[in-house]
Amino acid sequence: MSLKNIIWNGLLVAAFCLAIFLLYRIFQQYSLEQIVKSVGSIPLSNFCMALLFAAASYLCLSCFDLLAIRSLGKSLPYRKIALASFISLSLGHNIGFAGLSSGAFRYRYYSRWGLTTEDVAKIILFCGVTVGLGLITLGSLALIVNPEDAARLLRLDAVSARLFGAMALIAPVTYAGLASFIRGKLRLWRWSFQLPRFSIALAQIGIGTINFMFVSACLHQMLSAFGDVAFFRSVTAYVLANSAILATHVPGGLGVLEATVSYAVPQEASIGALIAFRCTYFFIPLALGTTLLLITEVVFRRGSRRAGQQADEGAEAQSV
């Protein structure tokens, strides 16, 4: 086993250990009866709205791939892009190291539809940048609109939190500005980047931000079942939680999400709200994505077998 594989396996084991520890810390204070009662107390209307917001988020995520493919000058039917995106991300969100895991699934689909390894790598990078732009933009807006909660969590005063939010907005503005003025590759030290067109850069920022607003709205539906929590307070909680998930790479954010949200909104973040949110945004898409993966693998195998049979028949006809 190479040193690289040892390092990756070690990080994965450490991430699992961290997840188990955090989940133990969260669940040890509840009995099974309390957990079932807490989940059951969430109104059906909140569950339905949360599912709607989760679906809207995955729709936005498919637009990440659509924009990436358009920026490459390629063309694929949207139904194929949506299928590859949903399967890749519904599984990648739960496996951990989402960029690598979802990238492997993306390659499996896009390579079958004519895209090269380099194309898929550029799509993964493009989507990663879009995630970062969306998270930074929404986090900045949360700091500006709701500085009190962020200040309490980050141990800052409200004025400093709002100033920090305004400064963070420089990142997406700079990205859009560079996309507007630089037509060739942007070179930074040894790396070079091909910036998208200005219109695509703006779409990245907009769709990336809207995606995280939908996820925050999904979380808000669950939290609001246990208290009167402002929407931007849910946004602050989710932005902090997602930042922690990206930093730790814990599979599915297990434990990290729950611990961060519980810290951000301790009164409303009941165990029922946290479990319901995880089921809505992670587990239900995982079940759907796994089912679609199995179905598409069967379809692809049958198609490959049929194409092989046709090629054999054609070869036999030519020999005759």
Side-chain angles (χ1 to χ4, degrees), residues 92-185:
H93 284 164
N94 289 276
I95 294 173
F97 295 96
L100 294 175
S101 55
S102 64
F105 289 110
R106 279 189 174 105
Y107 177 75
R108 188 166 183 79
Y109 285 91
Y110 288 139
S111 62
R112 285 166 167 163
W113 297 328
L115 298 185
T116 65
T117 303
E118 182 181 355
D119 291 334
V120 177
K122 289 180 178 178
I123 291 171
I124 295 169
L125 177 61
F126 183 97
C127 293
V129 170
T130 308
V131 167
L133 289 170
L135 194 63
I136 292 172
T137 303
L138 186 58
S140 300
L141 294 176
L143 287 172
I144 294 171
V145 175
N146 182 36
E148 289 78 13
D149 283 330
R152 177 179 59 82
L153 295 171
L154 300 175
R155 302 185 184 278
L156 300 171
D157 58 86
V159 175
S160 298
R162 184 167 282 157
L163 180 62
F164 184 74
M167 291 176 62
L169 279 177
I170 294 174
V173 171
T174 302
Y175 180 79
L178 290 173
S180 176
F181 291 106
I182 297 179
R183 295 289 179 258
K185 289 186 177 181

Coordinates of all heavy atoms in Angstrom, one line a residue, residues 92-185:
G92 N -22.5 11.1 -2.7 CA -21.3 11.8 -2.2 C -21.5 12.6 -0.9 O -20.6 12.6 -0.1
H93 N -22.7 13.1 -0.7 CA -23.0 13.8 0.5 C -22.9 12.9 1.7 O -22.5 13.3 2.9 CB -24.3 14.4 0.5 CG -24.4 15.7 -0.3 ND1 -25.6 16.2 -0.8 CD2 -23.5 16.5 -0.8 CE1 -25.4 17.3 -1.5 NE2 -24.1 17.5 -1.5
N94 N -23.2 11.6 1.5 CA -23.2 10.7 2.6 C -21.9 9.9 2.8 O -21.6 9.4 3.9 CB -24.4 9.7 2.4 CG -25.7 10.3 2.6 OD1 -26.2 10.4 3.8 ND2 -26.3 10.8 1.6
I95 N -21.2 9.7 1.7 CA -19.9 9.0 1.8 C -18.8 9.8 2.4 O -18.0 9.2 3.2 CB -19.5 8.6 0.3 CG1 -20.5 7.5 -0.2 CG2 -18.1 8.0 0.3 CD1 -20.2 7.2 -1.7
G96 N -18.8 11.1 2.2 CA -17.7 11.9 2.7 C -16.7 12.2 1.6 O -16.7 11.6 0.5
F97 N -15.8 13.2 1.9 CA -14.9 13.6 0.8 C -15.6 13.8 -0.5 O -15.3 13.3 -1.5 CB -13.7 12.6 0.6 CG -12.8 12.5 1.8 CD1 -13.1 11.5 2.7 CD2 -11.8 13.4 2.1 CE1 -12.2 11.3 3.9 CE2 -11.0 13.2 3.2 CZ -11.2 12.2 4.1
A98 N -16.7 14.7 -0.4 CA -17.7 14.8 -1.4 C -17.1 15.1 -2.8 O -17.6 14.6 -3.8 CB -18.7 15.9 -1.1
G99 N -16.0 15.9 -2.9 CA -15.4 16.3 -4.1 C -14.9 15.0 -4.8 O -15.1 14.9 -6.0
L100 N -14.2 14.1 -4.1 CA -13.7 12.9 -4.7 C -14.7 11.9 -5.0 O -14.8 11.3 -6.0 CB -12.6 12.4 -3.7 CG -11.3 13.2 -3.6 CD1 -10.4 12.6 -2.5 CD2 -10.6 13.4 -4.9
S101 N -15.6 11.6 -4.0 CA -16.6 10.6 -4.1 C -17.6 10.9 -5.2 O -17.9 10.1 -6.1 CB -17.3 10.3 -2.8 OG -17.8 11.5 -2.3
S102 N -18.1 12.1 -5.2 CA -19.1 12.5 -6.2 C -18.4 12.6 -7.6 O -19.0 12.3 -8.6 CB -19.8 13.8 -5.9 OG -18.8 14.9 -5.8
G103 N -17.1 13.0 -7.6 CA -16.4 13.1 -8.8 C -16.2 11.7 -9.5 O -16.3 11.6 -10.7
A104 N -16.1 10.7 -8.7 CA -15.9 9.3 -9.2 C -17.2 8.9 -9.9 O -17.2 8.3 -11.0 CB -15.6 8.3 -8.1
F105 N -18.4 9.2 -9.3 CA -19.7 8.9 -9.9 C -19.9 9.7 -11.2 O -20.4 9.3 -12.2 CB -20.8 9.1 -8.9 CG -20.8 8.0 -7.8 CD1 -20.5 8.4 -6.5 CD2 -21.2 6.7 -8.1 CE1 -20.5 7.4 -5.5 CE2 -21.2 5.8 -7.1 CZ -20.9 6.1 -5.8
R106 N -19.5 11.0 -11.1 CA -19.6 11.9 -12.3 C -18.9 11.3 -13.5 O -19.3 11.3 -14.6 CB -19.2 13.3 -11.9 CG -20.2 14.2 -11.2 CD -19.6 15.6 -11.1 NE -20.6 16.5 -10.6 CZ -20.5 17.0 -9.4 NH1 -19.5 16.7 -8.6 NH2 -21.4 17.9 -8.9
Y107 N -17.6 10.9 -13.2 CA -16.8 10.3 -14.2 C -17.4 9.1 -14.9 O -17.4 8.9 -16.1 CB -15.4 10.0 -13.7 CG -14.5 9.4 -14.8 CD1 -14.0 10.2 -15.8 CD2 -14.3 8.0 -14.8 CE1 -13.2 9.6 -16.8 CE2 -13.5 7.4 -15.8 CZ -13.0 8.2 -16.8 OH -12.2 7.7 -17.8
R108 N -18.1 8.3 -14.0 CA -18.7 7.0 -14.5 C -19.8 7.3 -15.5 O -20.0 6.6 -16.5 CB -19.2 6.2 -13.4 CG -19.7 4.8 -13.7 CD -19.9 4.0 -12.5 NE -20.3 2.6 -12.9 CZ -19.5 1.7 -13.3 NH1 -18.2 1.9 -13.4 NH2 -19.9 0.5 -13.6
Y109 N -20.5 8.4 -15.3 CA -21.6 8.8 -16.2 C -21.1 9.6 -17.4 O -21.4 9.3 -18.5 CB -22.7 9.5 -15.4 CG -23.5 8.6 -14.6 CD1 -23.1 8.3 -13.2 CD2 -24.6 7.9 -15.1 CE1 -23.9 7.4 -12.4 CE2 -25.3 7.0 -14.3 CZ -25.0 6.8 -13.0 OH -25.7 5.9 -12.2
Y110 N -20.4 10.7 -17.1 CA -20.0 11.6 -18.1 C -19.1 11.0 -19.2 O -19.1 11.3 -20.3 CB -19.4 12.9 -17.6 CG -20.4 13.8 -16.8 CD1 -20.1 14.4 -15.6 CD2 -21.7 14.0 -17.4 CE1 -21.0 15.2 -15.0 CE2 -22.6 14.8 -16.7 CZ -22.3 15.4 -15.5 OH -23.2 16.2 -14.9
S111 N -18.2 10.1 -18.7 CA -17.3 9.4 -19.6 C -18.1 8.5 -20.6 O -17.7 8.4 -21.8 CB -16.3 8.6 -18.9 OG -16.9 7.6 -18.1
R112 N -19.2 8.0 -20.2 CA -20.0 7.2 -21.1 C -20.7 8.1 -22.1 O -21.2 7.6 -23.2 CB -21.1 6.4 -20.3 CG -20.6 5.3 -19.5 CD -21.6 4.8 -18.5 NE -21.2 3.5 -17.9 CZ -21.8 3.0 -16.8 NH1 -22.6 3.7 -16.1 NH2 -21.4 1.8 -16.3
W113 N -20.9 9.3 -21.8 CA -21.6 10.2 -22.7 C -20.7 11.1 -23.5 O -21.1 12.2 -24.0 CB -22.6 11.1 -21.9 CG -23.7 10.3 -21.3 CD1 -24.2 9.1 -21.7 CD2 -24.3 10.5 -20.0 NE1 -25.1 8.6 -20.8 CE2 -25.2 9.5 -19.8 CE3 -24.2 11.5 -19.0 CZ2 -26.0 9.4 -18.6 CZ3 -25.0 11.5 -17.9 CH2 -25.9 10.4 -17.7
G114 N -19.4 10.7 -23.6 CA -18.5 11.4 -24.5 C -17.5 12.4 -23.9 O -16.7 13.0 -24.6
L115 N -17.6 12.7 -22.6 CA -16.7 13.7 -22.0 C -15.4 13.0 -21.6 O -15.4 11.8 -21.2 CB -17.3 14.3 -20.8 CG -18.6 15.1 -21.0 CD1 -19.1 15.8 -19.8 CD2 -18.4 16.2 -22.1
T116 N -14.3 13.8 -21.6 CA -13.0 13.2 -21.3 C -12.7 13.3 -19.8 O -13.5 14.0 -19.1 CB -11.9 14.0 -22.1 OG1 -11.9 15.3 -21.6 CG2 -12.2 13.9 -23.6
T117 N -11.6 12.7 -19.4 CA -11.2 12.8 -18.0 C -10.9 14.3 -17.6 O -11.3 14.7 -16.5 CB -10.0 12.0 -17.7 OG1 -10.2 10.6 -18.1 CG2 -9.5 12.0 -16.2
E118 N -10.3 15.0 -18.5 CA -10.0 16.4 -18.2 C -11.3 17.2 -18.1 O -11.4 18.1 -17.2 CB -9.2 17.0 -19.4 CG -8.8 18.5 -19.2 CD -8.0 19.0 -20.3 OE1 -7.6 18.2 -21.2 OE2 -7.7 20.2 -20.3
D119 N -12.3 16.9 -18.9 CA -13.6 17.6 -18.9 C -14.2 17.4 -17.5 O -14.7 18.3 -16.9 CB -14.5 17.1 -20.0 CG -14.1 17.5 -21.3 OD1 -13.5 18.6 -21.5 OD2 -14.5 16.8 -22.3
V120 N -14.2 16.1 -17.0 CA -14.9 15.8 -15.7 C -14.1 16.5 -14.6 O -14.7 17.0 -13.7 CB -14.9 14.3 -15.5 CG1 -15.5 13.9 -14.2 CG2 -15.7 13.6 -16.6
A121 N -12.8 16.5 -14.7 CA -12.0 17.2 -13.7 C -12.4 18.7 -13.6 O -12.5 19.3 -12.5 CB -10.5 17.1 -13.9
K122 N -12.6 19.3 -14.8 CA -12.9 20.7 -14.8 C -14.4 20.9 -14.3 O -14.6 22.0 -13.6 CB -12.9 21.2 -16.2 CG -11.4 21.4 -16.7 CD -11.4 21.9 -18.2 CE -9.9 22.1 -18.6 NZ -9.9 22.6 -20.1
I123 N -15.2 20.0 -14.5 CA -16.6 20.1 -14.0 C -16.6 20.0 -12.4 O -17.2 20.8 -11.8 CB -17.5 18.9 -14.5 CG1 -17.7 19.2 -16.0 CG2 -18.8 18.9 -13.8 CD1 -18.4 18.0 -16.7
I124 N -15.8 19.1 -11.9 CA -15.6 19.0 -10.4 C -15.1 20.3 -9.8 O -15.6 20.8 -8.8 CB -14.7 17.8 -10.1 CG1 -15.4 16.5 -10.5 CG2 -14.5 17.7 -8.6 CD1 -14.5 15.3 -10.5
L125 N -14.0 20.8 -10.5 CA -13.5 22.1 -10.0 C -14.5 23.2 -10.1 O -14.6 24.0 -9.1 CB -12.2 22.4 -10.8 CG -11.5 23.8 -10.4 CD1 -11.1 23.7 -9.0 CD2 -10.3 24.0 -11.3
F126 N -15.2 23.3 -11.2 CA -16.2 24.4 -11.4 C -17.3 24.3 -10.3 O -17.7 25.3 -9.7 CB -16.8 24.2 -12.8 CG -17.8 25.3 -13.1 CD1 -17.4 26.4 -13.9 CD2 -19.1 25.2 -12.7 CE1 -18.4 27.3 -14.2 CE2 -20.1 26.1 -13.1 CZ -19.7 27.2 -13.8
C127 N -17.8 23.1 -10.0 CA -18.8 22.9 -9.0 C -18.3 23.2 -7.6 O -19.0 23.8 -6.8 CB -19.3 21.5 -9.0 SG -20.3 21.1 -10.6
G128 N -17.0 22.9 -7.3 CA -16.4 23.2 -6.1 C -16.3 24.7 -5.9 O -16.6 25.2 -4.8
V129 N -15.9 25.4 -6.9 CA -15.9 26.9 -6.8 C -17.3 27.5 -6.6 O -17.4 28.4 -5.8 CB -15.2 27.5 -8.1 CG1 -15.4 29.0 -8.2 CG2 -13.8 27.1 -8.2
T130 N -18.3 26.9 -7.3 CA -19.6 27.4 -7.1 C -20.1 27.2 -5.7 O -20.8 28.0 -5.1 CB -20.6 26.7 -8.1 OG1 -20.1 26.8 -9.4 CG2 -22.0 27.3 -8.1
V131 N -19.8 26.0 -5.1 CA -20.1 25.8 -3.7 C -19.5 26.8 -2.8 O -20.2 27.4 -1.9 CB -19.7 24.4 -3.3 CG1 -19.7 24.2 -1.7 CG2 -20.6 23.3 -3.9
G132 N -18.2 27.1 -3.0 CA -17.5 28.1 -2.2 C -18.1 29.5 -2.3 O -18.3 30.2 -1.4
L133 N -18.4 29.9 -3.6 CA -19.0 31.2 -3.8 C -20.4 31.3 -3.2 O -20.7 32.4 -2.5 CB -19.1 31.4 -5.3 CG -17.8 31.6 -6.1 CD1 -18.1 31.6 -7.6 CD2 -17.2 33.0 -5.7
G134 N -21.2 30.3 -3.3 CA -22.5 30.3 -2.7 C -22.4 30.4 -1.1 O -23.2 31.2 -0.5
L135 N -21.5 29.6 -0.6 CA -21.4 29.6 0.9 C -20.9 30.9 1.4 O -21.4 31.4 2.4 CB -20.5 28.4 1.3 CG -20.4 28.0 2.8 CD1 -21.8 27.5 3.2 CD2 -19.4 27.0 3.0
I136 N -19.9 31.5 0.8 CA -19.3 32.8 1.2 C -20.4 33.9 1.1 O -20.5 34.7 2.0 CB -18.1 33.1 0.4 CG1 -16.9 32.1 0.7 CG2 -17.6 34.5 0.6 CD1 -15.7 32.3 -0.2
T137 N -21.1 33.9 -0.1 CA -22.1 34.9 -0.3 C -23.2 34.9 0.7 O -23.6 35.9 1.3 CB -22.7 34.8 -1.7 OG1 -21.6 34.9 -2.7 CG2 -23.6 36.0 -2.0
L138 N -23.8 33.7 0.9 CA -24.9 33.6 1.9 C -24.4 33.8 3.3 O -25.1 34.5 4.1 CB -25.5 32.2 1.8 CG -26.7 32.0 2.7 CD1 -27.8 33.0 2.3 CD2 -27.3 30.5 2.5
G139 N -23.2 33.3 3.7 CA -22.6 33.6 5.0 C -22.4 35.1 5.2 O -22.7 35.6 6.3
S140 N -21.9 35.8 4.2 CA -21.8 37.2 4.3 C -23.1 37.9 4.5 O -23.2 38.8 5.4 CB -21.1 37.8 3.0 OG -19.9 37.2 2.8
L141 N -24.1 37.5 3.8 CA -25.4 38.1 4.0 C -26.0 37.9 5.4 O -26.6 38.7 6.0 CB -26.4 37.6 2.9 CG -26.1 38.0 1.5 CD1 -27.1 37.3 0.5 CD2 -26.2 39.5 1.3
A142 N -25.7 36.7 5.9 CA -26.2 36.3 7.2 C -25.5 37.2 8.3 O -26.1 37.7 9.2 CB -25.9 34.8 7.5
L143 N -24.2 37.4 8.1 CA -23.5 38.3 9.0 C -24.0 39.7 9.0 O -24.0 40.4 10.0 CB -22.0 38.3 8.7 CG -21.2 37.0 9.0 CD1 -19.8 37.0 8.5 CD2 -21.2 36.8 10.5
I144 N -24.3 40.2 7.8 CA -24.8 41.6 7.6 C -26.2 41.7 8.1 O -26.5 42.7 8.9 CB -24.7 42.0 6.1 CG1 -23.3 42.1 5.7 CG2 -25.4 43.4 5.9 CD1 -23.1 42.3 4.2
V145 N -27.1 40.8 7.8 CA -28.5 40.9 8.2 C -28.7 40.5 9.7 O -29.6 41.1 10.4 CB -29.4 40.0 7.3 CG1 -30.8 40.0 7.7 CG2 -29.3 40.5 5.8
N146 N -28.0 39.5 10.1 CA -28.2 39.0 11.5 C -26.9 38.9 12.2 O -26.4 37.8 12.5 CB -28.9 37.6 11.4 CG -29.1 37.0 12.7 OD1 -29.5 37.7 13.7 ND2 -29.0 35.7 12.8
P147 N -26.3 40.0 12.5 CA -24.9 40.0 13.1 C -24.9 39.6 14.6 O -23.9 39.1 15.1 CB -24.5 41.5 13.0 CG -25.7 42.3 13.0 CD -26.8 41.4 12.2
E148 N -26.1 39.7 15.2 CA -26.1 39.4 16.7 C -25.8 37.9 17.0 O -24.9 37.6 17.8 CB -27.5 39.8 17.3 CG -27.7 41.2 17.4 CD -28.1 41.9 16.1 OE1 -28.5 41.1 15.1 OE2 -28.1 43.1 16.0
D149 N -26.5 37.0 16.2 CA -26.3 35.6 16.4 C -24.8 35.2 16.0 O -24.2 34.4 16.8 CB -27.3 34.7 15.6 CG -28.6 34.7 16.3 OD1 -28.7 34.8 17.5 OD2 -29.6 34.6 15.6
A150 N -24.4 35.7 14.9 CA -23.1 35.4 14.4 C -22.0 35.9 15.4 O -21.0 35.2 15.7 CB -22.8 35.9 13.0
A151 N -22.3 37.1 15.9 CA -21.3 37.7 16.9 C -21.2 36.8 18.1 O -20.1 36.6 18.7 CB -21.8 39.1 17.2
R152 N -22.4 36.3 18.6 CA -22.3 35.5 19.8 C -21.6 34.2 19.6 O -20.8 33.8 20.4 CB -23.8 35.2 20.2 CG -23.9 34.2 21.4 CD -25.3 34.0 21.8 NE -26.1 33.4 20.7 CZ -26.1 32.1 20.4 NH1 -25.4 31.3 21.1 NH2 -26.8 31.6 19.4
L153 N -21.8 33.6 18.4 CA -21.2 32.3 18.1 C -19.7 32.5 17.8 O -18.9 31.6 18.2 CB -21.8 31.7 16.9 CG -23.3 31.3 17.1 CD1 -23.9 30.9 15.7 CD2 -23.4 30.2 18.1
L154 N -19.3 33.6 17.1 CA -17.9 33.8 16.8 C -17.2 34.6 17.8 O -16.0 34.9 17.6 CB -17.8 34.5 15.4 CG -18.5 33.8 14.2 CD1 -18.4 34.6 13.0 CD2 -17.7 32.4 14.0
R155 N -17.9 35.0 18.9 CA -17.3 35.8 20.0 C -16.7 37.1 19.5 O -15.6 37.5 19.7 CB -16.2 35.0 20.7 CG -16.6 33.7 21.3 CD -15.6 33.0 22.1 NE -16.0 31.7 22.5 CZ -16.8 31.5 23.6 NH1 -17.1 32.5 24.3 NH2 -17.1 30.3 24.0
L156 N -17.6 37.8 18.7 CA -17.3 39.2 18.2 C -18.4 40.1 18.6 O -19.5 39.6 19.1 CB -17.2 39.1 16.7 CG -16.1 38.3 16.0 CD1 -16.4 38.2 14.5 CD2 -14.7 38.8 16.3
D157 N -18.2 41.4 18.5 CA -19.3 42.3 18.6 C -20.1 42.4 17.3 O -19.6 42.0 16.3 CB -18.8 43.7 19.1 CG -17.8 44.3 18.1 OD1 -18.3 44.9 17.1 OD2 -16.6 44.1 18.3
A158 N -21.3 42.9 17.4 CA -22.2 42.9 16.2 C -21.6 43.8 15.1 O -21.7 43.4 13.9 CB -23.6 43.5 16.6
V159 N -21.0 44.9 15.4 CA -20.4 45.8 14.4 C -19.2 45.0 13.7 O -19.1 45.1 12.4 CB -19.8 47.1 15.0 CG1 -19.1 47.9 14.0 CG2 -21.0 47.9 15.6
S160 N -18.4 44.3 14.4 CA -17.3 43.6 13.8 C -17.8 42.5 12.9 O -17.3 42.2 11.8 CB -16.4 43.0 14.9 OG -15.8 44.0 15.6
A161 N -18.9 41.8 13.4 CA -19.5 40.7 12.6 C -20.0 41.2 11.2 O -19.8 40.6 10.2 CB -20.6 40.0 13.4
R162 N -20.7 42.4 11.3 CA -21.3 43.0 10.1 C -20.1 43.4 9.2 O -20.2 43.2 7.9 CB -22.2 44.1 10.4 CG -22.9 44.7 9.3 CD -24.0 45.7 9.8 NE -25.2 44.9 10.2 CZ -26.1 45.4 11.0 NH1 -25.9 46.6 11.6 NH2 -27.1 44.6 11.3
L163 N -19.1 44.0 9.7 CA -17.9 44.4 8.9 C -17.2 43.2 8.3 O -16.9 43.3 7.1 CB -16.9 45.2 9.8 CG -15.7 45.7 9.1 CD1 -16.0 46.7 8.0 CD2 -14.7 46.3 10.1
F164 N -17.1 42.1 9.0 CA -16.5 40.9 8.5 C -17.3 40.4 7.3 O -16.8 39.9 6.3 CB -16.4 39.9 9.6 CG -15.7 38.6 9.2 CD1 -14.3 38.6 9.0 CD2 -16.4 37.4 9.0 CE1 -13.7 37.4 8.6 CE2 -15.8 36.3 8.6 CZ -14.4 36.3 8.4
G165 N -18.7 40.4 7.5 CA -19.6 40.0 6.4 C -19.4 40.8 5.1 O -19.4 40.3 4.0
A166 N -19.3 42.1 5.3 CA -19.1 43.0 4.2 C -17.8 42.7 3.5 O -17.7 42.8 2.2 CB -19.2 44.5 4.6
M167 N -16.7 42.5 4.3 CA -15.4 42.2 3.7 C -15.4 40.9 2.9 O -14.8 40.7 1.9 CB -14.4 42.2 4.8 CG -14.1 43.6 5.4 SD -12.9 43.5 6.8 CE -11.5 42.9 5.9
A168 N -16.2 39.9 3.5 CA -16.2 38.6 2.8 C -16.9 38.7 1.4 O -16.6 37.8 0.6 CB -16.9 37.6 3.7
L169 N -17.8 39.6 1.3 CA -18.4 39.8 0.0 C -17.4 40.2 -1.1 O -17.8 40.1 -2.3 CB -19.5 40.8 0.0 CG -20.9 40.4 0.6 CD1 -21.8 41.5 0.7 CD2 -21.5 39.3 -0.2
I170 N -16.2 40.6 -0.7 CA -15.2 41.0 -1.7 C -14.9 39.8 -2.6 O -14.6 40.0 -3.8 CB -14.0 41.5 -1.0 CG1 -14.3 42.9 -0.3 CG2 -12.8 41.8 -2.0 CD1 -13.2 43.4 0.5
A171 N -14.9 38.6 -2.0 CA -14.5 37.4 -2.8 C -15.4 37.1 -4.0 O -14.9 37.0 -5.1 CB -14.5 36.2 -1.8
P172 N -16.7 37.0 -3.8 CA -17.5 36.8 -5.0 C -17.5 38.0 -6.0 O -17.6 37.8 -7.2 CB -19.0 36.6 -4.5 CG -18.9 37.1 -3.1 CD -17.5 37.0 -2.6
V173 N -17.4 39.2 -5.5 CA -17.4 40.4 -6.3 C -16.1 40.4 -7.2 O -16.1 40.7 -8.4 CB -17.5 41.7 -5.5 CG1 -17.2 42.9 -6.4 CG2 -18.8 41.8 -4.9
T174 N -15.0 40.0 -6.5 CA -13.7 39.9 -7.2 C -13.7 38.9 -8.3 O -13.2 39.1 -9.4 CB -12.6 39.7 -6.2 OG1 -12.5 40.7 -5.2 CG2 -11.2 39.6 -6.9
Y175 N -14.3 37.7 -8.0 CA -14.4 36.6 -8.9 C -15.2 37.1 -10.2 O -14.8 36.8 -11.3 CB -15.1 35.4 -8.3 CG -15.3 34.2 -9.2 CD1 -14.3 33.4 -9.4 CD2 -16.5 34.0 -9.8 CE1 -14.4 32.3 -10.2 CE2 -16.7 32.9 -10.6 CZ -15.6 32.0 -10.8 OH -15.8 30.9 -11.6
A176 N -16.4 37.7 -10.0 CA -17.2 38.2 -11.1 C -16.4 39.3 -11.9 O -16.4 39.3 -13.1 CB -18.5 38.8 -10.6
G177 N -15.6 40.1 -11.2 CA -14.9 41.2 -11.8 C -13.8 40.6 -12.7 O -13.6 41.0 -13.9
L178 N -13.1 39.6 -12.2 CA -12.0 38.9 -13.0 C -12.6 38.2 -14.2 O -12.0 38.3 -15.3 CB -11.3 37.9 -12.1 CG -10.4 38.5 -11.0 CD1 -9.9 37.4 -10.1 CD2 -9.2 39.3 -11.6
A179 N -13.8 37.6 -14.0 CA -14.4 36.9 -15.1 C -14.8 37.9 -16.2 O -14.9 37.6 -17.4 CB -15.6 36.1 -14.7
S180 N -15.1 39.2 -15.8 CA -15.5 40.2 -16.8 C -14.4 40.7 -17.5 O -14.5 41.0 -18.8 CB -16.2 41.3 -16.0 OG -16.6 42.4 -16.9
F181 N -13.2 40.9 -16.9 CA -12.1 41.6 -17.6 C -11.0 40.7 -18.1 O -10.3 41.0 -19.1 CB -11.4 42.6 -16.6 CG -12.3 43.7 -16.2 CD1 -12.9 43.8 -14.9 CD2 -12.5 44.7 -17.1 CE1 -13.7 44.8 -14.6 CE2 -13.4 45.8 -16.8 CZ -14.0 45.8 -15.5
I182 N -10.9 39.4 -17.6 CA -9.8 38.5 -18.0 C -10.4 37.5 -19.0 O -11.3 36.7 -18.6 CB -9.2 37.8 -16.8 CG1 -8.5 38.8 -15.9 CG2 -8.2 36.8 -17.3 CD1 -7.8 38.2 -14.7
R183 N -10.0 37.6 -20.2 CA -10.5 36.6 -21.3 C -9.7 35.4 -21.4 O -10.2 34.3 -21.7 CB -10.5 37.4 -22.6 CG -11.4 38.5 -22.7 CD -12.8 38.1 -22.7 NE -13.8 39.2 -22.8 CZ -14.4 39.7 -21.7 NH1 -14.3 39.1 -20.5 NH2 -15.2 40.7 -21.8
G184 N -8.4 35.4 -21.1 CA -7.5 34.2 -21.1 C -7.5 33.5 -19.8 O -8.4 33.6 -19.0
K185 N -6.4 32.8 -19.6 CA -6.2 32.1 -18.3 C -5.6 33.0 -17.2 O -4.8 33.9 -17.5 CB -5.2 30.9 -18.5 CG -5.8 29.8 -19.3 CD -4.9 28.6 -19.4 CE -5.6 27.4 -20.1 NZ -4.7 26.2 -20.2

